[in-house]
């Protein structure tokens, strides 16, 4: 009577296959936990809203009216005005006539929209690759990967809270435009600092002003019969 080959009937092969099939599920779960532990990982942009198009002569003038509380209105106004001038040949005007585009901006609030850790996703990829390289050994793969990824979670949290974490600042604004008069209708926007570095509220205000001006500029279309009209 011959003995069966080693491993057959002992249950070792099914157990090994079961351990291997559990690897993808375990790694996915650990990656999800790690991602949740990193500020800004998978965070979406807080920017919202859009401006209705308005016709204006791009070689004409614009008059900017900015109001609000709890922000440096002068810094915000300067950033909007400078960016609008760079993006076109429009010039600022103190007085308003029929051809002047009046841009009204009301700051409703300024708030922290989240935090971002630079290179957090790159670090996640490196931690994941290192964990697999060190612990992917046959039957020890599941345990090794679990230990490696668990260590990565703790290291990731420490890294994310360390130097370089920056705040995403945002403003909720009401904005409107009309030629020759103060606009009656204001549309709500949320404009943030985006990917630019702003480590303080003071630094964030000019950056938000620049990004707001870009959105205003995109909403201005050439006036019929104007210098750049068709």
């Amino acid at each position: 009577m011959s003995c069966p080959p080693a491993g057959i009937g002992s249950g070792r092969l099914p157990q090994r296959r079961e351990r291997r099939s559990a690897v993808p599920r375990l790694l996915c779960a650990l990656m999800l936990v790690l991602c949740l532990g990193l500020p800004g990982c998978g965070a979406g942009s807080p920017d919202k809203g859009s401006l209705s198009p308005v016709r204006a002569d791009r070689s004409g003038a614009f008059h900017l009216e900015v109001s609000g509380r709890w922000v440096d209105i002068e810094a915000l106004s300067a950033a909007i005005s400078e960016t609008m001038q760079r993006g076109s040949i429009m010039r600022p005007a103190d007085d308003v006539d029929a051809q002047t585009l009046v841009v009204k901006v009301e700051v409703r609030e300024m708030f922290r929209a989240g935090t971002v850790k630079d290179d957090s996703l790159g670090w996640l990829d490196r931690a994941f690759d290192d964990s697999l390289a060190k612990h992917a050994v046959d039957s020890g793969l599941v345990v090794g990967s679990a230990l490696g990824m668990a260590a990565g979670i703790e290291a990731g949290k420490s890294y994310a809270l360390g130097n370089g974490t920056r705040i995403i600042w945002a403003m909720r604004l009401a904005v409107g435009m009309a030629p020759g008069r103060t606009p009656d209708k204001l549309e709500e926007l949320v404009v943030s600092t985006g990917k630019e570095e702003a480590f303080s509220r003071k630094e964030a205000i000019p950056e938000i002003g620049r990004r707001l001006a870009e959105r205003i500029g995109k909403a201005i279309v050439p006036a019929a019969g104007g210098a750049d009209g068709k």
Side-chain angles (χ1 to χ4, degrees):
M1 182 177 177
S2 59
C3 296
I8 296 180
S10 63
R12 292 181 181 177
L13 291 180
Q15 288 177 4
R16 187 171 182 179
R17 284 196 297 269
E18 182 178 352
R19 284 197 297 267
R20 287 180 175 176
S21 65
V23 171
R25 294 194 298 270
L26 177 61
L27 293 181
C28 287
L30 288 171
M31 287 179 67
L32 176 61
V33 174
L34 175 57
C35 189
L36 292 175
L38 292 172
C41 182
S45 170
D47 294 60
K48 295 180 182 178
S50 60
L51 292 173
S52 300
V54 61
R55 289 192 174 276
D57 184 353
R58 288 185 178 270
S59 63
F62 68 89
H63 177 73
L64 183 62
E65 300 177 0
V66 182
S67 61
R69 295 181 293 174
W70 307 299
V71 297
D72 186 341
I73 294 298
E74 184 176 346
L76 181 62
S77 299
I80 297 172
S81 181
E82 290 169 6
T83 306
M84 287 185 66
Q85 292 177 71
R86 285 199 305 268
S88 69
I89 56 175
M90 296 185 76
R91 63 189 186 281
D94 294 328
D95 299 323
V96 178
D97 59 27
Q99 303 303 317
T100 304
L101 177 67
V102 179
V103 180
K104 184 176 178 62
V105 177
E106 292 183 357
V107 180
R108 300 285 171 81
E109 66 171 324
M110 184 172 181
F111 58 95
R112 298 185 181 195
T115 57
V116 167
K117 180 66 192 180
D118 294 337
D119 197 32
S120 60
L121 291 179
W123 181 87
L124 173 61
D125 291 337
R126 291 193 297 272
F128 178 63
D129 292 340
D130 290 346
S131 178
L132 287 181
K134 292 177 182 177
H135 304 292
V137 234
D138 283 331
S139 61
L141 181 59
V142 176
V143 176
S145 295
L147 292 174
M149 291 300 289
I153 291 172
E154 294 305 318
K157 288 180 181 178
S158 299
Y159 180 87
L161 295 174
N163 295 331
T165 299
R166 63 180 175 83
I167 298 169
I168 299 178
W169 290 94
M171 284 187 193
R172 195 178 311 279
L173 309 134
V175 183
M177 295 183 285
R181 61 180 176 80
T182 299
D184 299 322
K185 179 184 177 182
L186 301 180
E187 297 170 303
E188 186 170 280
L189 301 178
V190 174
V191 182
S192 75
T193 48
K195 297 180 180 180
E196 296 302 318
E197 291 186 356
F199 292 97
S200 69
R201 181 188 180 94
K202 182 178 180 180
E203 291 179 6
I205 292 174
E207 181 57 35
I208 291 175
R210 286 188 286 271
R211 298 193 73 212
L212 172 59
E214 291 172 356
R215 293 174 71 171
I216 290 173
K218 290 178 181 178
I220 300 174
V221 296
D228 57 354
K230 301 297 182 182

